[in-house]
Amino acid sequence: MNIPLNIDWQQILLHLFNFAILAGGLYLLLYKPVRQFMEKREAHYREMEEAAAQRKAEAEQLKADYEAKLQQAEVEIRERQEEARKAIQASTQQQLEEARQQAEEILTSARAAAERSREKAIEASKQELQDLAISVAEKLVLSSDGDTFDQFLDLAERKGGNEQS
């Protein structure tokens, strides 16, 4: 069968058949395995992306939890600092009160000691005056020559001079 223009339909059909066999063979040998590989690869990367998104969400949740715990810890720290400040104030106030009481006791005992010392000094002065008066009287009685008043004054001057030096 010869067709004008030298077109051989049998050859065209054989070429088409060969092309179909070649395309089918390539499809089975190359395209299908490559497509499966690409689908597996795409699924693998999709799984990795989902796992990364899940880990990111978990990390964000952990971050939020830690931030909440950190804020709670800061609140607790502030509360404990306030408690410590109050305890220090109470302790300071108590120590001040104790110091005031001790100072009052010291002042009271010092006043009492000063009063006792004053009373002893007055008593000693009274005793010394009595002794002086007795010795002056004895000397006046024993020495009746001269003016007794002058003798008294001389004796007082001598005693006064001895005490001052």
Side-chain angles (χ1 to χ4, degrees), residues 2 5 12 20 26 30 32 41 43 51 57 60 76 81 90-91 105 116 128 135 142 154 165:
N2 210 341
L5 298 172
I12 292 175
L26 288 176
L30 291 176
K32 193 173 181 180
R41 184 174 175 196
E60 288 175 357
E76 287 178 16
Q81 285 176 341
S91 175
E105 290 172 3
R116 284 192 304 272
E128 193 175 320
S135 70
L142 292 178
D154 289 338
S165 25

Side-chain angles (χ1 to χ4, degrees), residues 63-128:
K63 180 182 176 186
D65 291 344
Y66 285 133
E67 286 177 354
K69 287 180 182 179
L70 183 62
Q71 288 176 350
Q72 185 180 10
E74 288 176 356
V75 168
E76 287 178 16
I77 288 170
R78 279 190 230 114
E79 288 174 355
R80 288 185 181 171
Q81 285 176 341
E82 184 65 25
E83 289 173 3
R85 187 185 60 78
K86 287 180 181 179
I88 289 171
Q89 278 183 335
S91 175
T92 304
Q93 192 65 23
Q94 182 182 4
Q95 288 177 352
L96 282 174
E97 194 61 37
E98 289 174 1
R100 285 187 187 122
Q101 288 175 353
Q102 287 176 351
E104 193 65 35
E105 290 172 3
I106 290 170
L107 282 175
T108 303
S109 65
R111 285 181 184 143
E115 184 63 29
R116 284 192 304 272
S117 176
R118 185 176 140 309
E119 287 176 4
K120 285 180 183 178
I122 289 173
E123 193 62 38
S125 296
K126 284 181 183 178
Q127 185 64 37
E128 193 175 320

